[in-house]
Structure formats: structure tokens, C-alpha cells
């Protein structure tokens, strides 16, 4: 049994990635497509906003004015990634560079994961905070039945390493380079595996 920790002393910034080109969806920006009662990006962000995360940095890029307009009702920090076409990694860097300097960790959240509920985000945040109290250098990766999911949470210990990472696809290189510090968090919620890349994904059921 892990000790109870004072969550208020451990601050987590969510880096909400909403800058991608969404090429596989076709001509439309997938984030703006309808999902149940709202758009994909609104549904995803609303679930995250209700969680116990301490701050949210929204990273915009592709069609930034349209996405910003869609999210205008959220009182959250929005930043622009001018080099979004160079890959997800550039958005992660911009988000972390604009996060609160007092943050202890960064939760890298994808804007196209509307299936993840606030409850699941809270499970991920709570588990990270509990383990962070024992080891300040952990990288938490969520898994379902052996499959890696998102969001991944990085200790701010890796801030410099992430900011100089040139791999296009996110921060996988940082995870690979620090395998001995990776905490695998097993969940039963398949939502952490699901994102929306093409029209068929809109009809997935969790």
C-alpha cells in the first residue's frame, strides 16, 4: 500500500495537443468533427478540464484560428506551434516551454481522444502523484492488457531532454532512453488506446 500523499504539493501540467494536420481524416479537420453532442476536440478537452490536473496548455497549429474559436468558451492558456508540420514533438516542446515553471510533471494529452473520461484522467493523475512522492524521476505509461496507451506523464526532471529531442513522433525517444524509470500503469479502460484518425474511428464503442 502506497502512503497517502498531499496532492496539492505535486503539480501536473497537461499539454493538450490540438495542432496536427489530421491527414488520414481527409480534407476536414478531424478535431472539429461532431462527436455525440459536441466536436471531438471539445469533448476531449471538457473531460480533461474536469479532472484533477493543475493546469492545461492547449497547443494549436493547423487551422489554429478555427480550433481556437471552437474552444473559446474554455478559460485556458492557448499557445501556437508555428512548426506543427514538423511533427507532434514540436507541439510537445511548445507546450512544455509554456507550462508553469513550478510544475512537477507534464501529462501529454491528445486532442483526438474523446473516449477518455474524467475518471480515467483522475486515475492516471492520482497514480502518478502517489509514485512521484517515492521517485521524482518517473515516466508513467498507461497500459491495457499489454498495450501502451495515452496520456503519458513525464516528470519535469526530463524537461531539458524533451526540449532537445528531435524525434518527430512525440517523446518516445525520451521513454526509450530512460526505460529504467518507466512506470507501467495497468488500467482496464480501453479508452486510453483509442484516438480518432479516420472516419471509421468515429464509430468505435468503448
Amino acid at each position: 500500500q502506497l502512503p497517502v500523499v498531499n496532492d496539492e504539493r505535486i503539480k501536473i501540467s497537461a499539454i493538450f495537443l490540438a495542432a496536427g494536420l489530421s491527414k488520414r481524416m481527409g480534407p476536414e479537420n478531424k478535431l472539429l468533427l461532431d462527436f455525440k453532442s459536441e466536436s471531438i476536440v471539445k469533448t476531449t478537452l471538457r473531460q480533461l478540464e474536469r479532472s484533477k490536473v493543475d493546469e492545461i496548455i492547449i497547443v494549436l497549429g493547423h487551422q489554429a484560428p478555427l480550433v481556437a474559436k471552437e474552444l473559446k468558451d474554455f478559460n485556458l492558456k492557448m499557445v501556437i506551434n508555428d512548426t506543427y508540420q514538423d511533427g507532434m514533438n514540436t507541439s510537445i516542446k511548445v507546450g512544455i516551454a509554456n507550462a508553469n515553471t513550478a510544475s512537477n510533471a507534464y501529462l501529454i494529452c491528445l486532442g483526438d481522444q474523446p473516449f477518455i473520461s474524467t475518471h480515467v484522467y483522475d486515475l492516471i493523475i492520482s497514480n502518478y502523484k502517489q509514485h512521484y512522492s517515492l521517485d521524482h524521476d518517473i515516466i508513467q505509461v498507461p497500459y491495457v492488457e499489454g498495450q501502451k496507451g495515452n496520456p503519458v506523464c513525464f516528470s519535469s526532471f526530463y524537461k531539458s531532454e524533451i526540449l532537445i529531442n528531435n524525434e518527430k513522433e512525440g517523446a518516445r525517444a525520451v521513454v526509450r532512453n530512460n526505460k529504467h524509470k518507466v512506470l507501467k500503469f495497468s488500467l482496464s479502460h480501453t479508452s486510453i488506446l483509442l484516438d480518432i484518425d479516420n472516419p471509421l474511428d468515429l464509430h468505435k464503442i468503448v
Side-chain angles (χ1 to χ4, degrees):
Q1 176 116 20
L2 290 168
V4 174
V5 297
N6 178 4
D7 286 356
E8 296 303 315
R9 288 166 42 186
I10 303 170
K11 304 296 184 184
I12 297 182
S13 295
I15 310 303
F16 186 80
L17 306 179
L21 287 162
S22 66
K23 289 179 180 177
R24 283 176 284 181
M25 187 60 76
E28 298 178 277
N29 187 327
K30 66 178 176 182
L31 297 181
L32 303 177
L33 295 177
D34 288 337
F35 178 84
K36 297 181 180 177
S37 60
E38 293 188 301
S39 64
I40 290 171
V41 71
K42 245 187 184 177
T43 303
T44 308
L45 184 57
R46 198 174 298 286
Q47 295 296 330
L48 179 62
E49 186 191 35
R50 292 170 179 163
S51 76
K52 297 185 186 304
V53 75
D54 294 286
E55 77 164 342
I56 299 173
I57 308 296
I58 302 170
V59 184
L60 305 175
H62 177 57
Q63 296 184 340
L66 286 177
V67 180
K69 183 179 179 182
E70 179 68 7
L71 301 178
K72 68 182 187 304
D73 296 335
F74 294 87
N75 185 25
L76 299 168
K77 186 174 185 178
M78 294 186 190
V79 296
I80 303 291
N81 173 18
D82 293 324
T83 58
Y84 68 91
Q85 295 189 43
D86 292 333
M88 184 189 297
N89 178 47
T90 61
S91 291
I92 293 173
K93 288 181 178 182
V94 169
I96 288 177
N98 283 276
N100 190 321
T101 55
S103 288
N104 302 106
Y106 312 111
L107 187 67
I108 311 302
C109 302
L110 307 183
D112 63 351
Q113 288 198 299
F115 300 100
I116 300 180
S117 68
T118 299
H119 173 66
V120 171
Y121 282 121
D122 283 344
L123 288 175
I124 289 168
I125 291 164
S126 176
N127 192 72
Y128 187 88
K129 287 189 173 186
Q130 284 186 320
H131 284 83
Y132 181 89
S133 68
L134 303 176
D135 184 353
H136 289 4
D137 300 350
I138 59 170
I139 300 170
Q140 179 176 276
V141 181
Y143 278 78
V144 173
E145 297 178 354
Q147 293 187 70
K148 186 179 85 67
N150 288 292
V152 175
C153 196
F154 292 86
S155 164
S156 58
F157 175 82
Y158 301 101
K159 179 176 180 176
S160 296
E161 187 173 348
I162 293 171
L163 292 179
I164 63 171
N165 173 38
N166 289 320
E167 184 182 69
K168 283 191 175 184
E169 290 304 313
R172 293 176 186 171
V174 179
V175 176
R176 285 197 305 270
N177 294 340
N178 299 280
K179 285 181 181 177
H180 62 296
K181 286 296 186 178
V182 172
L183 169 67
K184 293 184 177 181
F185 179 35
S186 294
L187 288 162
S188 60
H189 302 270
T190 57
S191 58
I192 65 166
L193 305 176
L194 302 176
D195 57 3
I196 295 177
D197 288 327
N198 55 63
L200 290 176
D201 291 340
L202 284 168
H203 305 292
K204 288 176 180 172
I205 299 174
V206 181

